[in-house]
Amino acid sequence: MLPLPPGDVEEMELVQKGGFGVVYRGRSQTLGMTVALKVIQGSYIEDLMKELRKESNIMLKASHPYVLHLLGVYEKREGDLIKPCLVMEYMPHGSLCTFLSSQPHVPCALRFRILHQVVLGMKYLHSLQPPLFTET
C-alpha cells in the first residue's frame, strides 16, 4: 500500500459525512489524479490505526474491476491533529444510489449494465477464499 507524503493531497473539498468517517475529494500530486480521502473518525489514535489497517487489508484483498480500489494511505493534518485516511478512487457521480436518484430516466440498457457490473463485483467478493469477513 502506497503511503502518500505529507502535503501530497491538495484542493480538498468535503464530499460527505458518515458514521465511520468523512470523505473529501482532493488532488494527489504523487498519483497525479483526483482521489477520494476517507478520514477515519474516532477518539483514540490506536483504535483509529487498527480500524484503518483492518479496512485497508480488506480493500487490498478485494482487487477487481468492479470493486472500488484502495490507492494508498495518507495522514491529513488539522492543526496539531493528524487524522489517518484511506486514499481511494474518486467516483465523480458519487454512490450508485446518488447517481440513480439524480437521473430521472436512466435507459434500461444502462440500468442492466450497472446491475450486471454490481453482480460481477459481488460474485467476486463472495467467492474470495478465505472470506473477507468471518463471524466471531
Side-chain angles (χ1 to χ4, degrees), residues 23-36:
V23 178
Y24 293 90
R25 179 181 70 213
R27 176 107 182 127
S28 167
Q29 295 174 0
T30 301
L31 299 172
M33 62 189 289
T34 300
V35 295

Side-chain angles (χ1 to χ4, degrees), residues 119-136:
V119 168
L120 290 174
M122 293 298 292
K123 180 181 180 217
Y124 167 77
L125 292 172
H126 284 279
S127 70
L128 290 175
Q129 291 298 326
L132 291 179
F133 297 101
T134 56
E135 293 184 34
T136 55

Side-chain angles (χ1 to χ4, degrees), residues 51-94:
E51 287 301 316
L52 177 69
R53 280 191 294 276
K54 181 178 171 183
E55 186 163 347
S56 63
N57 286 334
I58 289 169
M59 291 183 73
L60 284 172
K61 291 177 188 175
S63 180
H64 187 272
Y66 300 122
V67 176
L68 190 67
H69 293 114
L70 174 66
L71 303 172
V73 292
Y74 184 68
E75 291 181 344
K76 181 178 181 292
R77 294 188 181 273
E78 292 181 0
D80 291 337
L81 293 175
I82 297 174
K83 295 188 175 183
C85 307
L86 295 175
V87 181
M88 299 175 284
E89 293 178 275
Y90 177 70
M91 307 306 289
H93 298 291

Side-chain angles (χ1 to χ4, degrees), residues 3-20:
L4 299 179
D8 182 72
V9 181
E10 300 176 329
E11 305 168 24
M12 290 182 55
E13 184 178 313
L14 179 67
V15 173
Q16 187 172 359
K17 291 183 179 183
F20 186 63

Side-chain angles (χ1 to χ4, degrees), residues 84-130:
C85 307
L86 295 175
V87 181
M88 299 175 284
E89 293 178 275
Y90 177 70
M91 307 306 289
H93 298 291
S95 68
L96 179 57
C97 182
T98 302
F99 171 72
L100 291 176
S101 64
S102 70
Q103 305 294 321
H105 303 290
V106 178
C108 284
L110 179 56
R111 285 181 184 269
F112 180 78
R113 184 171 153 206
I114 292 169
L115 178 61
H116 183 246
Q117 291 173 353
V118 168
V119 168
L120 290 174
M122 293 298 292
K123 180 181 180 217
Y124 167 77
L125 292 172
H126 284 279
S127 70
L128 290 175
Q129 291 298 326

